[in-house]
């Protein structure tokens, strides 16, 4: 389309109706552990447009859409792909790609090799890495980042994705009967009238936001005991090296061998303050005993680490929800990726300790909302 | 020496004038049939069971006077050693009572793991009309069987005293006390005892270092000092008890408090994780290692993610973004020391408690926070971290306070219940 030629001047064109930035359209979230990338693949390219398309743009599109793995560590989450999306007047598929932040140099090298900078697109990026690696993008790949706040992008991304997913599994869901393996099921949840909402983003660390409207939110608090803590401690305690390995071990372990429960101290419940005997009184509390250390397995340790981190987040979340007077809590972030154990724990904890007042909600696109928000900023500058 | 003006606990002043007139351990008690387990029923014939004391002149319970707090990791014992024993009393004193007193006061270590914290001893205290020294003793809950055996060997049960005990272990080991040492426990709630003990000790300590203190300039090693703090008009107060686990209480008056919340990431977590990560086996070893380590090698800081501060939300670059976050990298795992890991464990647990505490203080609208519990014993590192965190993140609104008798308040409260049943 002829509009592409107009955009190349990159002059502010917000006064014109419905201006599109030039392709490719990316949104990037460079986090403490993972880089999340969303890529919009246009499916309505006309023959004329295709002819005018520069080679490296075509090459990028083909590379991204015909692979599901990139290099040694890049992965495209195909099950999360959103098809036939209309964005900024174009129709296409939205792809969700991730790779470790540790491998950003390789990504930059690839950007350089594919002469990405000659496409003169704005690269909207959020997350701490947008700031930390800004100069690396410039020097290694001749790319100028448009830096965005990660929490602004997160909220924008959540609200957008929830509004557009209308076929396939509901974006938002919750767990019914979370502690009953036979009866526990995911059920869809409609996030209409979502405000006020407590949004808990569990990445390397955790941020908890109270969201009152699309544009009105505050960061209530955070905790440094997040996904990075789970993975770091697991690697140290069990010798594993990836998130998936850690989760696999945790699924096989028994945390009650590692933790000191209320019943280990009281011989039963601590009735006076409503603490049931099965509640954890002291996480890893049994590990001060040599005999017990020698009797637990790596799987038990991995499980205890997961339970400890998850319950701590749940506990802090509950306090925030109580104080902010908010009943719905949405948990996002890649700590929950393929981590049904933690999701069910959170679902149960929210319900149990609040006596049914709080509801734990989850979103299919988990850790990608920041990147989506960055993409939206590219297309519809706020 | 006259007691320091704390009359509140003694409701019957005339008791103090006649220190010799107190219930004895009558020889005929020992002949009492063992059928009834209630110690108060086997008191000497001229004394009244305590549960009817509201209608009669208050009677002192017979010696020895103990308060016990059986926690998840440690047993805390307070023992009142009377120093005003008259010649007559001494003569009538049964042998095993004398033996217990001598054993406890002439040793500072008991068996392999029992310790008397001499520096915490309170001298010339007046309790229930008697003057004496209050001793503070601790041993691992793991060694309770040995303690019970000793109680059996010393025929403690023949003294027919009520043993007031609090903490989870008072419930868990109640039957062991009965079967192994023939002792009936009077069980008390640990948080009731904690509060009672804190308020009492703070009111009686008037010589030597102030019971309550805070840190000035907590992060400046050259200028950081402990300063005394007066806990008059203490309410409302946030009391954070850091034992194996953590309880946070909002205290509005002596008798009005609530347990706001708790966390399972407490002293037991610190010790358990340290043992696993470093191979150490005691709390003191773990602290020693932590004092030598650098947690910033283990933790992922804000600056590691942002390259600097996260200005938008006021997070400085040196703040921890992800505890142990660097440990997902093999290279970093191989480059940190055990000391670094111990330090990171301490910092993680301490900061988590600080963060949760701060949220509670904010929500309960309370500005003063008192930290107690044996996680803080000889743990200046954590105390300073808490002091700094409270001050920094609240922009000076919150004050972190500490108490000399740290983990003993539950036991003190139990002793008080023995002497002055609530």
């Amino acid at each position: 389309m002829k509009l592409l030629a107009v955009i190349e001047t990159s002059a502010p064109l917000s006064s014109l109706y419905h201006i599109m930035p030039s392709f490719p359209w990316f949104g990037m979230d460079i986090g403490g552990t993972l880089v999340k990338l969303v890529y919009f693949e246009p499916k309505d390219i006309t023959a004329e447009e295709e002819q005018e398309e520069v080679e490296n743009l075509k090459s990028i599109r083909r590379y991204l859409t015909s692979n599901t793995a990139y290099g040694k560590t890049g992965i495209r989450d195909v099950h999360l792909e959103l098809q036939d999306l209309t964005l900024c007047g174009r129709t296409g598929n939205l792809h969700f790609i991730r790779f470790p932040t540790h491998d950003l140099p390789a990504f930059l090298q690839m950007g350089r090799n594919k002469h990405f900078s000659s496409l003169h697109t704005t690269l909207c990026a959020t997350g701490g890495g947008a700031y930390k690696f800004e100069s690396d993008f410039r020097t290694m790949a001749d790319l100028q980042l448009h830096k965005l706040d990660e929490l602004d992008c997160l909220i924008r991304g959540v609200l957008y994705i929830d509004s557009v997913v209308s076929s396939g599994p509901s974006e938002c869901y919750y767990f019914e009967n979370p502690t009953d393996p036979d009866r526990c099921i995911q059920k869809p949840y409609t996030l209409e009238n979502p405000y006020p909402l407590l949004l808990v983003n569990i990445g390397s660390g955790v941020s908890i936001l109270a969201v009152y409207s699309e544009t009105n939110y505050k960061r209530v608090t955070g905790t440094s005991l997040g996904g990075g803590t789970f993975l770091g401690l697991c690697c140290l305690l069990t010798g594993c090296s990836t998130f998936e390995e850690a989760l696999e071990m945790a699924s096989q372990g028994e945390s009650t061998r590692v933790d000191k429960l209320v019943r280990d101290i009281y011989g039963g419940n601590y009735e006076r303050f409503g603490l049931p005997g099965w509640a954890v009184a002291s996480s890893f509390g049994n590990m001060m005993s040599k005999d017990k250390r020698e009797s637990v397995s790596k799987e038990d340790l991995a499980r205890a680490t997961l339970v400890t981190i998850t319950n701590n987040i749940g506990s802090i979340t509950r306090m925030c929800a109580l104080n902010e007077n908010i009943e719905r809590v949405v948990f996002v972030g890649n700590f929950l990726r393929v981590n049904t154990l933690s999701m069910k724990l959170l679902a149960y904890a929210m319900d149990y300790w609040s006596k049914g007042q709080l509801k734990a909600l989850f979103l299919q696109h988990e850790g990608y909302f920041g990147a989506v928000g960055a993409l939206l900023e590219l297309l519809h500058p706020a």
Side-chain angles (χ1 to χ4, degrees), chain A:
Chain A
M1 289 173 70
K2 289 286 184 268
L3 273 172
L4 285 171
V6 178
I7 304 302
E8 275 179 42
T9 63
S10 70
L13 296 165
S14 49
S15 55
L16 294 177
Y17 173 72
H18 203 56
I19 295 297
M20 263 180 359
S22 51
F23 285 129
W25 293 351
F26 279 112
M28 244 185 135
D29 177 359
I30 311 174
T33 306
L34 294 173
V35 176
K36 284 76 70 179
L37 194 64
V38 298
Y39 165 66
F40 179 81
E41 171 203 9
K43 297 294 276 180
D44 57 354
I45 300 179
T46 62
E48 188 188 345
E49 199 182 346
E50 181 126 30
Q51 218 170 18
E52 294 195 0
E53 206 179 24
V54 286
E55 200 47 44
N56 59 348
L57 177 57
K58 213 189 293 275
S59 144
I60 284 168
R61 186 169 70 252
R62 266 193 240 120
Y63 176 65
L64 291 179
T65 58
S66 52
N67 291 297
T68 55
Y70 314 96
K72 292 196 193 125
T73 57
I75 296 190
R76 179 159 64 94
D77 282 314
V78 181
H79 67 288
L80 294 181
E81 184 177 324
L82 294 175
Q83 298 185 333
D84 303 314
L85 214 60
T86 298
L87 266 174
C88 226
R90 301 300 302 259
T91 304
N93 301 335
L94 198 57
H95 298 282
F96 297 85
I97 296 162
R98 56 182 159 90
F99 60 90
T101 304
H102 175 264
D103 298 330
L104 193 62
F107 173 85
L108 293 178
Q109 190 58 46
M110 190 166 69
R112 184 195 191 94
N113 296 345
K114 292 197 184 294
H115 304 288
F116 192 88
S117 59
S118 70
L119 294 168
H120 298 304
T121 54
T122 305
L123 188 47
C124 282
T126 187
Y131 297 79
K132 181 176 180 185
F133 300 111
E134 187 180 17
S135 55
D136 290 322
F137 271 80
R138 243 193 344 265
T139 57
M140 290 176 66
D142 196 26
L143 287 167
Q144 181 66 37
L145 293 184
H146 180 50
K147 303 190 301 293
L148 304 160
D149 177 75
E150 64 171 275
L151 300 182
D152 285 344
C153 288
L154 167 65
I155 289 177
R156 200 167 176 189
V158 167
L159 299 175
Y160 172 74
I161 292 289
D162 185 70
S163 71
V164 303
V165 169
S166 56
S167 68
S170 168
E171 178 66 19
C172 185
Y173 61 95
Y174 67 100
F175 286 93
E176 211 169 63
N177 309 316
T179 55
D180 185 348
D182 299 324
R183 292 170 58 225
C184 178
I185 43 170
Q186 272 191 35
K187 298 201 84 170
Y189 188 89
T190 319
L191 257 187
E192 312 169 312
N193 304 319
Y195 311 113
L197 192 70
L198 203 69
L199 190 53
V200 183
N201 186 27
I202 315 174
S204 306
V206 184
S207 279
I208 300 184
L209 321 178
V211 188
Y212 305 103
S213 80
E214 272 188 62
T215 49
N216 180 19
Y217 77 93
K218 71 176 182 188
R219 182 180 186 273
V220 179
T221 190
T223 171
S224 65
L225 281 78
T229 315
F230 165 67
L231 186 49
L233 271 178
C234 269
C235 292
L236 287 167
L237 294 172
T238 72
C240 72
S241 35
T242 71
F243 181 65
E244 288 79 2
E245 276 178 57
L247 283 186
E248 173 58 28
M249 284 185 151
S251 71
Q252 308 288 331
E254 184 58 66
S255 60
T256 54
R257 296 216 201 103
V258 179
D259 296 333
K260 194 168 273 184
L261 310 182
V262 168
R263 67 176 178 238
D264 294 328
I265 300 180
Y266 272 80
N269 306 327
Y270 182 8
E271 312 263 8
R272 172 87 185 266
F273 293 99
L275 295 172
W278 50 257
V280 180
S282 180
S283 297
F284 286 86
N286 278 350
M287 297 293 91
M288 58 178 80
S289 145
K290 187 169 200 284
D291 293 338
K292 295 208 171 82
R293 279 199 299 279
E294 290 171 354
S295 76
V296 299
S297 65
K298 291 190 185 314
E299 288 75 14
D300 295 335
L301 294 175
R303 181 63 162 251
T305 308
L306 184 134
V307 166
T308 299
I309 298 300
T310 304
N311 280 339
N312 191 53
I313 292 168
S315 172
I316 291 170
T317 298
R318 209 166 37 87
M319 267 196 286
C320 288
L322 197 70
N323 304 325
E324 299 295 320
N325 223 344
I326 296 177
E327 288 176 349
R328 272 173 314 184
V329 186
V330 179
F331 293 95
V332 296
N334 277 317
F335 172 63
L336 299 178
R337 188 179 68 79
V338 295
N339 187 359
T340 323
L341 206 37
S342 285
M343 287 196 279
K344 290 182 179 178
L345 258 174
L346 287 169
Y348 178 74
M350 291 295 107
D351 184 60
Y352 181 88
W353 296 105
S354 74
K355 300 193 192 0
Q357 294 303 297
L358 294 179
K359 201 172 195 65
L361 304 169
F362 305 91
L363 301 175
Q364 298 284 354
H365 287 80
E366 263 141 13
Y368 284 106
F369 299 107
V372 170
L375 172 66
L376 291 173
E377 180 61 23
L378 171 70
L379 304 178
H380 304 285

